[in-house]
Every structure is written in structure tokens, then in C-alpha cells.
Amino acid sequence: MLGDTAGWRALAYLAAAFPLALISAAASVGFLASGLGGLTHWVWSRWLPLQAAGDGSLHRGLSLGGLFFDTVAGQLSLAAVGVVLLFVWPWVNHGFADVFRLLVGELLGLTPGARRLRDLEVSRGRSVEDADARLRRIERDLHDGTQARLVAVAMQLGEARELLGSGVAANGRGDSSGPSGPDGSGGPAGLTGESVAGGEAPRPTAVANARALVELAHAAVKGTAVELREIVRNIHPPVLDDGLEVALESLASRVPLPVRVHVELRVRPSPAIETMLYFCAAELLTNVVKHGGATHATVTLEPHGRGLRLRVQDDGTGGAQVWSPDETGRRSGLVGLAERVRPVDGRLELHSPAGGPTVATVTLPGPVA
Amino acid sequence: MTGTTVVVADDSVILRDGLVALLNRRGYEVLAAVGDGDSLVAEVERLTAAGTAPAVAVVDIRMPPTFTDEGLRAARELRTRFPGTGVLLFSQYIETRYATELLAQRDGGGVGYLLKDRVADVSEFLEALDRIADGSTVLDPEVVQQLMGAPRAEDGLARLTPREREVLELMAEGRSNGAISRELYLSAGAVEKNVTAIFAKLSLPPDAGDHRRVLAVLRFLRG
């Protein structure tokens, strides 16, 4: 109890505030009363009893060291003093208020350490949001630029490939309704020195080689497009723009076991929190599929205090661990998950007794909006 | 050459121009090419009023102004207001939810959902476009794969044999029985037998054949 800094500071505040309150009240009332009194002295002094001055003359009203103010000049000067006092009165009040503010700020407000902590929290939250916004921008740029160009190139190569005559048969599916090329042969791609078509084309070898090259380029571009799409999905899944519920449902539909999704949100979380929760759910579901031996899983997202709680539950065999480095010594995905939520003070709890079921809970204390 | 009429909506100029050029070279008639959902609906409205309703609209999902599901919303509006025009949703990414949403309001017209990459296999892509123009359903193999990979707790579907699932998967891609028999190297009779078995296991009433086909695919997609 003696170490209770806040308590001692509050006590010091009380000790200082009480006398200060008395003094400020007296001063404020004093200034107001004297100001009004001085200003109106010429009116009310006439009803005061007569007093004798040192020289025997009789006067009414205020006297200061034997000097009376019942002359015209005297009354005017008293009124002037009254005006000055009334003018100064608000400043007196402001002055005392400032002293009080200082007292409250120093003794009841945040200590420098606490203030620094609050600033750090604010700037940390801002950098989490900034990072998320930057990733979204990258995703948008890739989508509008690189991916679109890649598809356009793939389309041109695809057309070139068909014009050169390999048709779609080489692709192994669909019926060939495309135009047959100069020679119509659908042989496997490969750089050969042999003649492919009948002697009409001037340089059949060159055509065959060109076709093989186009074939390779076409396959490479298609592969690249698939890779790029996966990369983009890992940067920022576009479906998140439609809200967390849609995104989680879409996520659940890619998991090779039945997943029930239940989402209850009072307010839409900030984009960064949405991204964070999405990737947490993705990681936890991956884990369910990888280790759990589960046949069903449930994803629940609901309010928890000022924050949110994400829970992924499965009916697998249990025994999951947060810290389980694989044979290459790399950290497990769950460690990464715990790190992912740390910038917002999130916590991962894993309850996975041998024999199951496994319940993984991610709690974000909030606020999350 | 088919002469099928097409409208294209994509905000990426490179892709839109490339697609229009490709379609023109392949004998399609591109009636309009626009860059957002509202213009698409307006163009189809104008063309339909002029008596030249396009056979199919190729619609990018993510377009201005929201860059989220603009295209999907435009597609839904087209399906409701202009059932004569088939819709091919065309996207850089596949979200099964979009597919089920589009199919949920299926009303006999053609719909499709393909990854943009599919245009790389030109003839296959054009074939899909033709099937949609003819009123069929075309789904990207990846959509089908995702839905197949996530078996729902649905008795009928669970009782399908692997071969029947294969057949249903191809039905979901909008293939005819003939195309399925070629794809799976089955006789026409064997495909027919599988299809009948699928209908029976999904307890679909034996009325109009095509209607049952759609119902089977829908059941399958919704899980």
C-alpha cells in the first residue's frame, strides 16, 4: 500500500487543493465585492452615518487614513478603482483555475511514463494500420497492372500457339474447335530439327522450333499467373474487401472438410484487424487439416469485452502444440500466428489434450474498430 | 465463324483491348466494350432496346467505383432484367461464394465463372463463351475443385461413387453428356447411366431432363 504511487499522488492533491480552494474562494469574492462596492460608493455612501474627521468636519462613507472620499473627485476615483477591480476579477479567477489545472495535471494525470506508453500504443496501432494499407495498395497495383498484363500476354501467346498449329489437343482437354494451323499436327512440344509439315512452308524446322518456343513460353506464363495469384492471395485476399464474414466463409469453402462459420460482429473491425483475423483463421484451419485427423471444424468469431474472440474448434485427435518446430527446425505456423496478433496485444490459447478435441482461441482485447 | 454477339466489361484497358481484338479475329461481333458495371448495364439496355441484345456479356468482377464486387452486382442485374443475355464472370481470383451467388438465381439463361487466366487457352475459352451464349453453365475447374474438396454433410452427395462425382463435376462445368463421354472415355450409355444414378441419389424428380441437370448441379454446389 505504501508503494501505491497513484494513492500518494491523490493524497498530495487533496492536501494542496483544500487550502488553495479556500484562498481562491475568498479572493474571488473579495475582488467582486470590492469592485461593485467601489463603483457604487457614491450612491450608497449617503445613507451611512456621519463621521467626524480629524479637523472636526463631518463626512459620510469610506475613509482611508483619515481621508474621506465624499468629494466629487473622491467619488470618481473610488468608482474608477471599482471598475479596475471588476475588470481584473475574471483574470483572478482564471489564474486560480490555472493553478488548479496544474495541480490536477501533475498529481492526478498521467505520469510521464504512462503518457509515453499511451503515445506508443497509439503510434503502434497506426503503424499496424499503415502496414495493412500498404499491402492493400500493393495488391491493387499487382491486380491492375502485373496480373492484367500477364493475362494479356498469355492470351496472345495462346493465340500464337494456335496459329502455329498445335491446337488445343496438346493441352489434353476439350474438343478442338479452334482453327487448324498451317500443318494441323498436334505433336508434343520439343525442339527438333526434323521437318514437321509437308513441304509447303519454306522453313518447316524454323516453324516447328518457333512453335515449341511459343508452347514453352505459353506454359511458363500460365504457371507464372497461377503463382502470382497465390502470392497476391497471401498479401491481401481480395475477398476481404467484402467483409470478414464473406471472407471467412470463402476461406472455409476451400478447406477439404466441412467447416461451420459463425460470425457475430457489433461493429465492422478496422481493415488491419480484419486481415489479422482472416490469416489467423486460415492458419488455424490449415493446422486442423494438417494434424488434427478431424472430420468437422467450427469457426466462431464473436465480441469479447471491448475486443473480439476467434475460436477454431475441431473434432480431431488433439495433441497440438504452439511450439512445435518441424524437422528443419523452423518455427510452427502457430508461433507465427501468436506473433501476428501481438502488435494489438492479442493472445493465442491452445487447448488440445491428447485424444482431442482441439480448441484454439485468439483473443484481441480491443478496441478493434 | 460463329458471329456471336458479345459485350465486354473490364476496367483494365490492356485486357479489354486484347480481348476485343481476339474476339474480333475469331469472328465474334463485339457490340460494346466498357469499363464499369453501370455502363455495362446501360449498354445492354440500349442494345436490347435496339433489338440487338448481345448473346453474352463478359464481366470483370472488380471494377470501379468500389473495386470489390461491382461486376457481380452488374451480372445479377443483367440476369434479372435481360435473361436473353448470358453472363460470363471473369476474374483474377476465384471465390466460391460468388459462384454460388450467381447460380442461386439461375433462371435458364447461361452463366459462367472463369479465371482470367483461362483466356490463355484460346479455343477452350471461346468454347466456354459459346456454351454460355447457348444457355449452359460454365464453371472454372478451380471452383469445381474447391467445392469438391469441401464435401458438405449432405447425404445424397456423400453416396455418390467417385465416377458419379466426376460426371457431376463436369456437369457443373456445363458440359453436355457427349462432352463428358469424350472427357472421361466413357460410352454415351455409361454416361447416361451415371447421370440417372446421380439424379436418383439426389432424389430429383424425373420431369424435364435439363431442369434436373441444373438442380443436380445446384445441389452439388450448395453442398
Side-chain angles (χ1 to χ4, degrees):
Chain A
M1 218 170 91
L2 289 174
D4 177 7
T5 320
W8 286 114
R9 292 173 78 218
L11 205 61
Y13 169 79
L14 285 180
F18 181 62
L20 186 64
L22 287 180
I23 293 165
S24 62
S28 179
V29 170
F31 267 77
L32 179 64
S34 324
L36 286 175
L39 186 60
T40 54
H41 182 263
W42 60 276
V43 180
W44 51 266
S45 57
R46 70 190 64 167
W47 288 290
L48 292 178
L50 282 167
Q51 291 170 279
D55 61 355
S57 58
L58 292 174
H59 301 277
R60 292 178 196 271
L62 183 69
S63 66
L64 214 60
L67 188 68
F68 282 89
F69 293 89
D70 53 354
T71 58
V72 173
Q75 295 289 15
L76 276 177
S77 59
L78 263 187
V81 169
V83 167
V84 170
L85 286 180
L86 283 180
F87 187 75
V88 172
W89 180 61
W91 297 100
V92 172
N93 292 340
H94 282 280
F96 279 110
D98 283 342
V99 176
F100 267 104
R101 194 175 301 130
L102 204 67
L103 212 54
V104 169
E106 286 301 317
L107 291 175
L108 296 186
L110 293 172
T111 59
R115 201 171 298 131
R116 187 175 140 73
L117 187 65
R118 190 194 55 192
D119 291 348
L120 284 175
E121 273 175 3
V122 169
S123 71
R124 185 181 62 170
R126 208 174 293 134
S127 53
V128 168
E129 295 292 339
D130 281 353
D132 187 68
R134 204 171 306 128
L135 286 180
R136 276 166 198 260
R137 219 163 27 244
I138 291 171
E139 188 271 332
R140 172 77 58 86
D141 289 347
L142 284 176
H143 177 271
D144 294 346
T146 317
Q147 282 184 304
R149 266 167 213 277
L150 210 53
V151 168
V153 170
M155 178 166 66
Q156 284 153 359
L157 281 173
E159 214 183 352
R161 170 173 162 271
E162 291 190 5
L163 286 174
L164 283 170
S166 55
V168 292
N171 202 40
R173 82 180 296 171
D175 7 77
S176 177
S177 66
S180 55
D183 62 50
S185 94
L191 292 170
T192 67
E194 287 164 34
S195 163
V196 185
E200 278 188 36
R203 293 177 58 201
T205 314
V207 172
N209 281 348
R211 189 175 65 209
L213 283 171
V214 168
E215 193 88 42
L216 286 174
H218 182 245
V221 168
K222 284 206 296 182
T224 309
V226 172
E227 257 171 50
L228 185 59
R229 191 166 51 242
E230 271 318 299
I231 290 171
V232 166
R233 194 185 286 289
N234 286 328
I235 291 175
H236 172 79
V239 71
L240 260 179
D241 293 339
D242 294 344
L244 202 48
E245 186 168 5
V246 179
L248 288 179
E249 274 172 18
S250 222
L251 180 67
S253 73
R254 342 180 126 248
V255 178
L257 43 103
V259 179
R260 250 218 327 270
V261 176
H262 172 77
V263 174
E264 187 196 330
L265 289 173
R266 289 199 203 103
V267 287
R268 182 165 180 175
S270 74
I273 297 284
E274 285 191 332
T275 311
M276 210 175 270
L277 287 168
Y278 177 88
F279 281 114
C280 283
E283 188 61 53
L284 291 172
L285 284 174
T286 307
N287 245 54
V288 168
V289 175
K290 247 198 315 209
H291 313 295
T295 60
H296 282 82
T298 316
V299 175
T300 315
L301 178 65
E302 54 194 5
H304 180 75
R306 287 198 305 158
L308 287 169
R309 192 170 61 191
L310 173 76
R311 183 165 274 175
V312 175
Q313 203 162 353
D314 69 62
D315 61 351
T317 51
Q321 284 179 326
V322 174
W323 182 254
S324 55
D326 56 21
E327 56 277 9
T328 60
R330 287 172 51 202
R331 62 185 192 188
S332 83
L334 292 186
V335 176
L337 190 158
E339 275 168 15
R340 192 183 268 279
V341 296
R342 217 163 44 189
V344 292
D345 295 324
R347 273 177 303 116
L348 166 70
E349 279 164 66
L350 190 66
H351 185 73
S352 183
T358 299
V359 182
T361 309
V362 174
T363 314
L364 306 185
V368 293
Chain B
M1 294 294 153
T2 55
T4 308
T5 50
V6 186
V7 252
V8 177
D10 196 318
D11 62 316
S12 159
V13 179
I14 302 175
L15 217 55
R16 190 170 69 214
D17 291 352
L19 193 58
V20 169
L22 171 79
L23 290 170
N24 281 331
R25 276 197 295 273
R26 289 306 190 92
Y28 290 77
E29 196 184 336
V30 180
L31 299 178
V34 297
D36 64 89
D38 289 344
S39 327
L40 170 68
V41 174
E43 276 300 318
V44 174
E45 192 169 18
R46 184 181 66 77
L47 290 165
T48 308
T52 52
V56 57
V58 180
V59 187
D60 182 18
I61 288 189
R62 194 163 151 183
M63 286 190 289
T66 63
F67 293 100
T68 54
D69 60 349
E70 279 289 310
L72 180 68
R73 271 182 279 150
R76 276 198 302 246
E77 191 176 344
L78 288 187
R79 294 304 305 137
T80 317
R81 292 178 54 198
F82 312 102
T85 298
V87 173
L88 168 60
L89 276 185
F90 201 41
S91 178
Q92 295 282 16
Y93 51 92
I94 285 291
E95 295 300 345
T96 48
R97 194 176 146 129
Y98 292 156
T100 43
E101 217 169 301
L102 189 69
L103 288 158
Q105 65 170 68
R106 221 200 114 113
D107 40 27
V111 288
Y113 185 8
L114 287 180
L115 272 177
K116 283 190 177 173
D117 308 9
R118 304 300 172 205
V119 77
D121 295 308
V122 179
S123 291
E124 258 194 80
F125 170 74
L126 296 177
E127 200 191 313
L129 204 59
D130 290 339
R131 286 208 302 269
I132 294 167
D134 290 343
S136 297
T137 307
V138 175
L139 287 180
D140 196 276
E142 197 177 309
V143 179
V144 177
Q145 199 188 331
Q146 277 179 25
L147 291 164
M148 290 299 277
R152 307 299 210 273
E154 166 77 42
D155 291 338
L157 287 175
R159 282 191 281 116
L160 296 182
T161 65
R163 175 62 88 191
E164 285 160 5
R165 281 190 88 81
E166 261 181 317
V167 171
L168 184 53
E169 192 178 332
L170 289 169
M171 278 165 67
E173 284 181 32
R175 310 261 172 156
S176 66
N177 280 6
I180 294 174
S181 79
R182 278 197 298 281
E183 178 80 27
L184 298 178
Y185 303 103
L186 288 173
S187 71
V191 172
E192 189 59 47
K193 238 178 67 192
N194 275 305
V195 171
T196 314
I198 292 168
F199 289 163
K201 285 185 181 172
L202 298 182
S203 331
L204 295 171
D207 51 8
D210 239 21
H211 188 53
R212 276 209 294 179
R213 224 179 154 78
V214 173
L215 286 177
V217 169
L218 273 184
R219 184 78 60 85
F220 162 63
L221 290 175
R222 284 171 185 159

